[in-house]
Amino acid sequence: MIEFQIKTSRNPMREAEHQADPDAANFGEVFTDSMITLRWDEKRGWHDGRLEEYQDIALPPAALVFHYGQEIFEGMKAYRQRDGSIALFRPECNAARFNASARRLAMPELPVETFVRAVELLVKQDRRWVPGGDDNSLYLRPFMIATQPTLEFTLPARSYLFCVIASPAPAYFSTETGPSALSVWLSEEYTRAAPGGTGAAKAGGNYAGAFLGQREAMDQGCDQVVWLDAAEHTWVEEMSGMNLCFVRQSRDGGAPTLMTPALTGTLLPGVTRDSLLTLARRLGLGCEEGRISAEQWREQCEAGLITEVFACGTAAVIVPVGRARGVSGGWTIGDGRPGPVTMRLRAELLGIQHGRIPDESRWLHHVC
Ligand code: COI
């Protein structure tokens, strides 16, 4: 059993400052009082676990992460429940994905129970930082970096640091009246991930490679970039930090189908994506993990077959997509505004996460 020593205390001044104006900071700019650290080396395995004060990390400039980018992370949230208690959402899924990312990046795996306990300890310690309110939560960012000081590039690092930090999160893309629809840019020049690469891992390098596409999207007047497959530049994969879902009407007047690009190995297996497939089935929608080209996306919107598109992820929850554009022009999805299926799924998911709707799948993990 890996132990964590407790070396932190509450800082009521900082809490009070944050609670006085919780919306003062953008997503991921304010951090709670504490953090988790845990080290690994070849001799001792995982050791020196601590719950300590949030602070800078001292590393030698030669630490391998700075040169070869050996880093992975997770995104998860703690939710204030109606009775004031706090719960995590499917934390064991994040732990399993963290280990899948670790395997792909040749890093040591962390026992699932240690990952979950580390997150629980931090949330319990900093529980006063978990905001109330419909779309608010405490965003948790577990990550692991290679710390061995070496420029040698034959084998992965022989020492690592695992950390968890936490940041009170207002709704990522929402306005006071709910989420506004995004406009997206289909990147035809750059790609995010290729078969056999690291696209399915939550590795920092995937996100670093996405910045240029995101900047191109913004230069084109769009909010977010959509990545196409690397081989044919045809098939829609995902956005930089979110999966995509398409609501397709049935031709015979039956229930619509929720279609999301299949996990081909080049896109991230989102926990939100997976949860929505279950919820959609429960709400009587058809579900399909398939594929769609940019051209089919446009044609099916123009034919009134695809009526809604949304992006989903832990940070973003569910965000409607109202318009798509690529080098050969753009099109509107439905009437360009958040659609009923999108908003129903969003209400259902947030309702479960905040304990307002029964948790039939037992996804909530109660912490304190
Ligand atoms: C998350 O949704 O948790 C992510 O890691 C995406 C990130 C771009 C904020």
Side-chain angles (χ1 to χ4, degrees), residues 234-249:
T234 299
W235 306 103
V236 175
E237 297 220 310
E238 64 173 311
M239 288 169 38
S240 301
M242 292 167 269
N243 291 116
L244 274 166
C245 292
F246 298 79
V247 178
R248 192 182 276 137
Q249 299 302 318

Side-chain angles (χ1 to χ4, degrees), residues 27 73 75 139 141 172 202 207 241 313-315:
F27 173 83
F73 70 96
Y139 186 78
R141 175 53 66 85
Y172 197 71
K202 210 160 168 63
Y207 295 75
T314 298

Side-chain angles (χ1 to χ4, degrees), residues 117-174:
R117 202 150 49 83
V119 172
E120 275 177 347
L121 268 178
L122 180 59
V123 171
K124 260 189 208 156
Q125 174 66 28
D126 286 346
R127 57 190 171 275
R128 288 175 192 78
W129 287 85
V130 181
D134 276 5
D135 286 3
N136 302 330
S137 56
L138 182 69
Y139 186 78
L140 297 153
R141 175 53 66 85
F143 64 98
M144 180 174 17
I145 55 174
T147 52
Q148 190 193 344
T150 179
L151 304 185
E152 213 268 337
F153 186 71
T154 310
L155 284 171
R158 292 195 297 269
S159 59
Y160 295 90
L161 173 66
F162 169 74
C163 283
V164 190
I165 54 175
S167 174
Y172 197 71
F173 285 114
S174 286

Side-chain angles (χ1 to χ4, degrees), residues 61-78:
L64 195 142
V65 64
F66 294 138
H67 306 279
Y68 306 129
Q70 208 185 1
E71 188 268 357
I72 57 170
F73 70 96
E74 269 304 315
M76 50 203 295
K77 284 176 172 174

